[in-house]
Amino acid sequence: MKDLNNAWCPGCGNFGILSSIDKAIDELGIKRENIVMVSGIGQAAKLPHYTNVNFFNGLHGRSIPVATGIKATKPELTVIVVSGDGCIYGEGGNHFIHGIRRNPDITVIVHNNMVYGLTKGQASPTSQIGFRTPIQVCGVFEEPFNAIAVAIALNASFVARCFSADIEKTKEIIKLAIKHKGFSFVEILQPCVTFNKVNTYAWFRERTYYLDSSYSPDDRIKAFETSLEKDRISLGILYTGFQRKTFEQNLEDCGIVYPVIRRKSNIKNDLLKSLKKNHSK
Amino acid sequence: MNSLNIVVSGEAGSGIQTVETLLCEIFRRQHYVFSTKEYMSRVRGGANTTTIRISDSRINGFCEKTDILLSLDKKGIERIRERITSNTLIFGDVTETEKNSFSIDFSKIALETGNKVFSNTVATGFILGLLNKDKEIAGSVIGSFFATKGDQVIKGNIEALNKGYLTGQEFRKKLLFEAHIETVKEVERELFINGAEAVGTGAILGGCNFISSYPMTPSTPVFTFLAQHSKDFNIIVEQAEDEISAINMVLGSWYAGGRAMVSTSGGGFALMVESISLSGMIESPVVIHLGQRPGPATGLPTRTEQGDLLFSLFSGHGEFPRVIFAPGDLNESIFLTAKAFNIADKYQIPVFILTDQYLIDTYYNIPEPDFSLFDIEYYYLKETDPSYRRYKFTDNGISERAIPGNSGFVCLDSDEHDEDGHITEDREIRRKMVEKRNKKIMNIAEIERFEPCFYGHENYEILVLSWGSTKNTVLEAISQIDGARLGYLHFPIIYPLPSNIDNFFRKAKKTIVIENNYTSQFSKLLKMEKGIEVKEKILKYDGHPFSVEQITNALKEKI
Ligand code: SF4
């Protein structure tokens, strides 16, 4: 990796997330050349620049479709989306919903700091009601986007929440998410020390708790209930339902034969034949 | 040359499609057939007309002249009023107050065979009887058309066909109707396809293995064609949640080694524009089939226009290169679409295929294309080592593209980046990257031999210009003008413009451009790129294609 000038503020929660991801990759023993990180725009989206992997740092909000296209075309790659709440839940909200429905075998890690950092402190889709910013001068009045509840409602195949300061625990969950076949969604609560003076490290510490062994993540109703808790915030794997077929498995069932890159046979005769066959229908 | 124009007019969902398909399938085994349809943006009840032209020679222009009108509902005549002349024979659902019109109740005849649903086959039989056509071919076409419906249905339809045929023969005798179109043996082996199938065929030929799109008229048939062929040719097909997702999946696919495309129109393409700019920045190949329809906004969803030339040329913020093809006929649609994949891959740029509703929905027969004229070219690196740099500076601006999964990391960034793909604001790198991206297509017109197609008089005085789908209609119009020395320059490649075109203009005393739009976008392009001024313009923007008659008349006025 090049010695890049890291653009994050000292003390930012992003550092913890970066080391959790790096450790998870190393412990899983996946060759880094077979990993692609896809990100959008925002502070979180710069993460791939600070580690050693292939990456596609594309447009704001669009990383899930890009990752879907990569995974479908070359399934042997491990594809990880890393971006922020504004990118995935705001600009890319539609892709978040339909990505879950499509269920490609990718891991989607969303840094949730409840604020826009890169553009200097406006509200994000997860900012809390009353949160004041230079734009939201009377405070935010929109209901915060509950991505975990939405993901469970859509029957996402793996839904987890972590806290960036708990590097070890976060790492373990990321490992499970990467290993999981299907759309694995990991939201990581991440304090923004510069623009969010409300949702601080202490604020998160006070409210978060880990789901214990009595919690069974295959109970969708319970998971949904847990995702709606108001006074405390659960951490861990909230929901991992029955095994859903991945997008790539569905493609194979529909006749796609991997690898799709580079056609083997000469198609010209088949093409002519099939154009002629068209007429007899 | 003998040709006969039959117009079938009816309501959407009323079976007009069965009549047009059966007639085309029967005729195309014996004659040159051209067929085009126009329809309202409604699933049922809207007005549809299909023009079927049969001929003993290969002519594929759209003619307004209506020899026979087959009216399948009360409004059948009103729909094409302006195309009816004193020579038009009208049959079907009409009140006989109209000149040369004959009321025939096809459903009643169908009922005699036991079922009203056969009325479309009766109407088909009627036309065949009127024209004294071979019934055997019709029988075999019906057999395969209704093959999945079972023997009873086939039997009923054959009976209906015969009844219609007899009625047609009666009218033939009564009216002393004569229309002799010579049978052509060769056509039997030919293909009968439309523009959408030609673009789809070109995509497969070009090695397309991934398409993601969002349905939007008139571009959807290309998407459908590839879906229908996805199993045979191993093509990943996914309907995206929106056009933005579609093009981003496609960019992801190229990154992972795919050859991917989108098929879109109007507002759908507008949504993709930011991602076109992304492809410019990350230097990703991408192929965009843009089926034009009249805008702005929703415009006329099912109609035709050449209104997006400048939009596609300028789509995407920032400065980056692109190539735009605008095929004028089926052959060009096949080979330019195939070529689009090679060019996109080689230069790592977006390549557009600009069609329109008219081209997409127009069928005619073509000889078997010689697919051996084209070969898929792959330009990405199979192996890399850790020294690999995705955006390495080179003389021609093109750096080798690698696919992730090798020891050299492949890093792309939509931010300005350095040779490794890492974000940078270094002024020197920025300057060099801008130059690198933009010089990639320097001299592409010479290297790839982009040429216009010239037709007509070698020593022309008047030069007619057009681009895209108007080609066949202009060609036919020009062939009908006597007494003027006309040259015709058709542009299947509109950006970058072929480099040698100045010569063509030097010889001309007058130039006339023909475009299916209001602002004459092609002449603007000529002015901007080449400093060539075209003063005479024939423009049409009512949502309908030019006809041979319109162009002939307009040209006569200008000459
Ligand atoms: S602005 Fe906030 S989120 Fe961005 S780097 Fe600084 S602390 Fe982290």
Side-chain angles (χ1 to χ4, degrees), chain A residues 31-239:
Chain A
K31 272 193 171 167
R32 283 176 174 265
E33 63 194 50
N34 290 328
I35 296 176
V36 177
M37 276 192 193
V38 186
S39 68
I41 300 299
Q43 293 291 72
K46 288 181 183 151
L47 186 143
H49 289 275
Y50 308 137
T51 180
N52 241 343
V53 287
N54 300 284
F55 65 80
F56 186 124
N57 184 177
L59 294 177
H60 194 39
R62 315 305 168 197
S63 25
I64 291 174
V66 170
T68 306
I70 295 171
K71 186 70 186 180
T73 304
K74 200 173 177 188
E76 60 267 41
L77 296 170
T78 299
V79 182
I80 305 168
V81 168
V82 195
S83 226
D85 45 326
C87 192
I88 302 287
Y89 305 155
E91 193 89 10
N94 202 25
H95 312 311
F96 178 69
I97 291 170
H98 295 279
I100 292 173
R101 289 184 51 233
R102 197 171 277 124
N103 200 33
D105 182 18
I106 61 175
T107 303
V108 176
I109 298 173
V110 183
H111 304 205
N112 180 9
N113 60 8
M114 307 180 181
V115 73
Y116 278 15
L118 187 62
T119 51
K120 303 199 185 333
Q122 303 81 11
S124 96
T126 52
S127 294
Q128 304 213 298
I129 291 178
F131 185 70
R132 281 172 193 272
T133 84
I135 302 281
Q136 285 77 20
V137 288
C138 303
V140 168
F141 44 76
E142 289 91 344
E143 177 74 18
F145 184 69
N146 187 337
I148 299 279
V150 169
I152 296 166
L154 291 166
N155 205 19
S157 61
F158 184 102
V159 183
R161 182 160 45 206
C162 310
F163 178 39
S164 67
D166 297 344
I167 292 173
E168 276 303 304
K169 288 193 171 117
T170 301
K171 175 203 75 186
E172 287 306 320
I173 287 170
I174 290 174
K175 276 164 71 178
L176 292 172
I178 292 175
K179 276 203 285 194
H180 175 82
K181 283 248 163 260
F183 189 105
S184 6
F185 166 47
V186 183
E187 179 180 89
I188 306 183
L189 302 171
Q190 170 237 322
C192 167
V193 294
T194 308
F195 294 109
N196 190 336
K197 306 290 184 193
V198 180
N199 311 103
T200 59
Y201 280 95
W203 189 91
F204 284 117
R205 281 261 177 261
E206 276 161 31
R207 281 163 185 79
T208 54
Y209 74 98
Y210 279 89
L211 297 164
D212 60 23
S213 54
S214 68
Y215 181 86
S216 48
D218 55 355
D219 182 342
R220 194 165 171 203
I221 305 288
K222 182 82 198 136
F224 194 67
E225 231 171 48
T226 311
S227 74
L228 299 180
E229 285 174 334
K230 281 266 175 238
D231 41 358
R232 55 181 199 159
I233 305 170
S234 54
L235 298 174
I237 298 169
L238 277 98
Y239 181 57

